[in-house]
Amino acid sequence: MFSLPKKATIIEVGPRDGLQNEKKEVVTSDKLAFIDSLQLAGVKEMELTSFVSPKWVPQMADAKEIVGRSKRVGRQFVLAPNEKGAQLALEAGADSIAVFVGVSNSFNQKNINRSTHDAVNALQPVIENLKQQNMFVRACISTAFYCPYEGKINSKDVQSLCADFVSMGVDELSVADTVGRANPLECYELFTLLKEAFSEVLLTAHFHDTRKMALANIFASLQAGIDRFDTAAGGLGGCPFAPGATGNVATEDVVHMLDTLGIETGVNVKKVCEAVELIAPHVSRPIDSGMYRLYQNGQL
């Protein structure tokens, strides 16, 4: 019928994407304990924090300290929205940088007050400078399936934006269902298209679980040849500029599904749940992942 990969990589985004929209302050020591616990669970790639204006995202005000005090385990990303953010990240000692642009013009205007075209042009010298310094650069492609303001996104527009970033030399494209509206067929079709077009870069799928379709979408993406997935322990997250979007797909649920499919991740589900237990008291939204409920009930 189809082939599935033997291994898959989990990129844990809980410490950054998971906490950025959290209104309740999470202190630095609790973030560091969360990060450390996720590393102990076997996570080798992680988004730690973002160098954004604390005026707009106060939860990330301790970015420099997070980078400086986190243990160096595998690849650790920090998000940098512009040249200033990238410079601050480099000064803090980061060696893997994520930039982001939405496919949707409306989303970008709400998020960064720029059109898609202008946002990409502004990032070009930033990316070129990072690559000259041998930095690993991932480009996060938001609203790749649907936009909360424009609706369905044309896959050719996604491909065009990805092509712009590939031409700048990025190492990875993280393609996101930002509002959690995609279905498995749409995921299979888009990722098949992108795999054929961009075989020279890493391709990662990023799903929000707004309509509880994320696991099905991951399975469809596996069939399209994708073997890298952004996930957040406990299903944490949500975008302040995507009304109605809920958290990311839960790391523990994704790892469990991959385990049952015989796909190796190197990540331990029970230990991820232990990391969730550490952060749960410090976030305002209840944790509602299937595997975490089993863990709480002593069934894991």
Side-chain angles (χ1 to χ4, degrees):
M1 290 170 49
F2 51 81
S3 60
L4 296 176
K6 300 295 184 186
K7 296 181 179 181
T9 300
I10 297 296
I11 299 94
E12 172 61 51
V13 301
R16 196 281 301 177
D17 193 352
L19 297 179
Q20 67 173 0
N21 201 35
E22 178 60 45
K23 293 179 174 58
K24 181 179 177 181
E25 181 186 5
V26 183
V27 300
T28 304
S29 59
D30 291 327
K31 292 179 186 175
L32 290 168
F34 183 42
I35 290 167
D36 185 54
S37 187
L38 288 165
Q39 291 173 339
L40 290 173
V43 172
K44 293 294 190 293
E45 297 197 36
M46 193 184 310
E47 272 192 357
L48 292 180
T49 186
S50 60
F51 285 84
V52 293
S53 169
K55 175 182 176 182
W56 300 112
V57 190
Q59 195 68 251
M60 299 288 108
D62 57 356
K64 182 177 180 180
E65 189 174 0
I66 291 293
V67 173
R69 294 177 59 188
S70 296
K71 295 177 182 176
R72 297 288 172 150
V73 176
R75 183 177 291 134
Q76 298 176 336
F77 296 100
V78 298
L79 195 71
N82 48 37
E83 183 177 5
K84 180 179 180 181
Q87 186 58 43
L88 290 172
L90 292 174
E91 291 172 359
D95 56 15
S96 299
I97 310 292
V99 298
F100 63 92
V101 173
V103 183
S104 158
N105 272 302
S106 300
F107 183 80
N108 288 324
Q109 291 287 0
K110 293 280 187 179
N111 195 353
I112 54 178
N113 200 31
R114 282 179 170 169
S115 69
T116 302
H117 179 267
D118 289 346
V120 172
N121 285 344
L123 282 173
Q124 182 168 354
V126 177
I127 292 170
E128 290 175 350
N129 179 54
L130 291 170
K131 292 309 300 176
Q132 287 172 3
Q133 299 184 62
N134 296 317
M135 296 291 114
F136 184 100
V137 180
R138 86 179 327 215
C140 299
I141 311 298
S142 303
T143 60
F145 294 91
Y146 288 87
C147 168
Y149 312 105
E150 296 180 13
K152 184 81 171 81
I153 298 295
N154 190 312
S155 60
K156 294 297 183 183
D157 292 336
V158 181
Q159 183 177 1
S160 177
L161 179 56
C162 289
D164 288 339
F165 279 118
V166 171
S167 70
M168 296 176 200
V170 301
D171 302 281
E172 178 185 12
L173 298 165
S174 173
V175 179
D177 179 21
T178 308
V179 296
R181 284 185 60 183
N183 66 48
L185 181 59
E186 290 168 331
C187 296
Y188 179 82
E189 290 176 344
L190 180 60
F191 282 113
T192 297
L193 175 71
L194 297 181
K195 282 288 288 186
E196 291 175 353
F198 307 114
S199 58
E200 70 273 32
V201 299
L202 295 172
L203 272 170
T204 298
H206 182 121
F207 294 111
H208 286 250
D209 209 16
T210 310
R211 290 163 176 79
K212 299 302 178 185
M213 294 280 276
L215 289 177
N217 290 339
I218 286 175
F219 187 72
S221 303
L222 286 164
Q223 294 179 62
I226 301 300
D227 60 3
R228 294 173 59 82
F229 300 97
D230 289 345
T231 66
L236 298 175
C239 178
F241 303 101
T246 59
N248 296 275
V249 62
T251 302
E252 58 272 24
D253 288 348
V254 175
V255 172
H256 169 71
M257 183 182 79
L258 296 175
D259 283 347
T260 64
L261 293 172
I263 300 172
E264 296 179 19
T265 63
V267 179
N268 183 284
V269 171
K270 186 174 182 179
K271 289 184 177 179
V272 172
C273 290
E274 291 172 358
V276 174
E277 193 167 46
L278 283 178
I279 200 67
H282 307 293
V283 297
S284 56
R285 197 179 65 182
I287 305 299
D288 189 36
S289 74
M291 296 311 295
Y292 185 62
R293 287 198 302 272
L294 291 176
Y295 170 81
Q296 287 184 304
N297 293 333
Q299 297 174 271
L300 186 60

